[in-house]
């Protein structure tokens, strides 16, 4: 039986109301698909603390605070995830893929043109509802 992985996910929105996406490396689970940056929540960390750490490590952003948005439980068959999704609008720095991944700012309307892991569909729908 696979245990559930707790993942902090950041919906990073800049002042131009664009959302930051990152492309998963081909060799990873759900590889080559686009995702919202974030990572695993470590023992003893809050979701916000995990996001602040992960977004610095992954995309070089200095996050001041995060705001809870939604939670998603998804079973991929080989892996179960609990996505703890937060809005990130209070940050500084210039986003770049520190792990060699492609990153891209896109308008909310353009999110429909990207391929995401199945668990992210509800996130895209929620973002589109804010337009």
């Amino acid at each position: 039986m696979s245990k559930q992985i707790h993942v902090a996910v950041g919906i990073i929105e800049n002042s131009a109301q664009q959302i930051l996406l990152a492309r998963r490396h081909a060799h990873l689970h759900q590889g080559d698909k686009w995702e919202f940056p974030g990572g695993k929540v470590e023992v003893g960390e809050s979701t916000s603390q995990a996001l602040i750490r992960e977004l610095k490590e992954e995309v070089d952003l200095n996050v001041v605070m995060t705001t809870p948005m939604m939670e998603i439980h998804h079973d991929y068959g080989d892996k179960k995830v609990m996505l703890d999704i937060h809005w990130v609008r209070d940050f500084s720095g210039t986003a770049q893929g520190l792990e060699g991944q492609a990153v891209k700012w896109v308008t909310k309307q353009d999110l429909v043109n990207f391929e995401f892991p199945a668990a992210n569909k509800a996130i895209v729908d929620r973002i589109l509802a804010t337009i």
Side-chain angles (χ1 to χ4, degrees):
M1 165 156 165
S2 58
K3 75 178 182 70
Q4 182 167 270
I5 299 163
H6 184 190
V7 181
V9 178
I11 307 304
I12 307 161
E13 184 175 9
N14 66 17
S15 57
Q17 296 194 310
Q18 294 169 312
I19 305 289
L20 185 67
L21 299 181
R23 188 169 208 158
R24 294 181 64 77
H25 287 295
H27 68 277
L28 295 177
H29 185 261
Q30 300 289 310
D32 271 342
K33 293 184 178 173
W34 291 86
E35 66 179 352
F36 303 100
K40 289 183 189 140
V41 177
E42 304 292 344
V43 175
E45 273 185 326
S46 69
T47 300
S48 195
Q49 288 168 329
L51 256 185
I52 288 167
R53 176 182 53 75
E54 286 281 352
L55 295 181
K56 183 62 181 169
E57 292 171 1
E58 276 188 30
V59 292
D60 203 22
L61 292 179
N62 301 299
V63 176
V64 178
M65 64 169 281
T66 73
T67 309
M69 176 192 186
M70 65 192 294
E71 265 184 29
I72 294 174
H73 296 262
H74 191 83
D75 187 347
Y76 283 104
D78 59 336
K79 183 186 276 195
K80 285 188 178 132
V81 293
M82 193 277 267
L83 304 181
D84 206 338
I85 302 126
H86 282 221
W87 284 106
V88 177
R89 296 184 174 109
D90 194 353
F91 64 90
S92 62
T94 302
Q96 53 185 323
L98 295 181
E99 298 169 346
Q101 75 280 35
V103 295
K104 184 174 188 140
W105 289 103
V106 302
T107 65
K108 293 176 184 178
Q109 293 88 334
D110 277 347
L111 290 173
V112 297
N113 300 320
F114 291 85
E115 187 181 0
F116 292 95
N120 287 6
K121 182 181 180 332
I123 304 172
V124 173
D125 291 345
R126 179 71 60 94
I127 294 168
L128 293 175
T130 69
I131 297 175

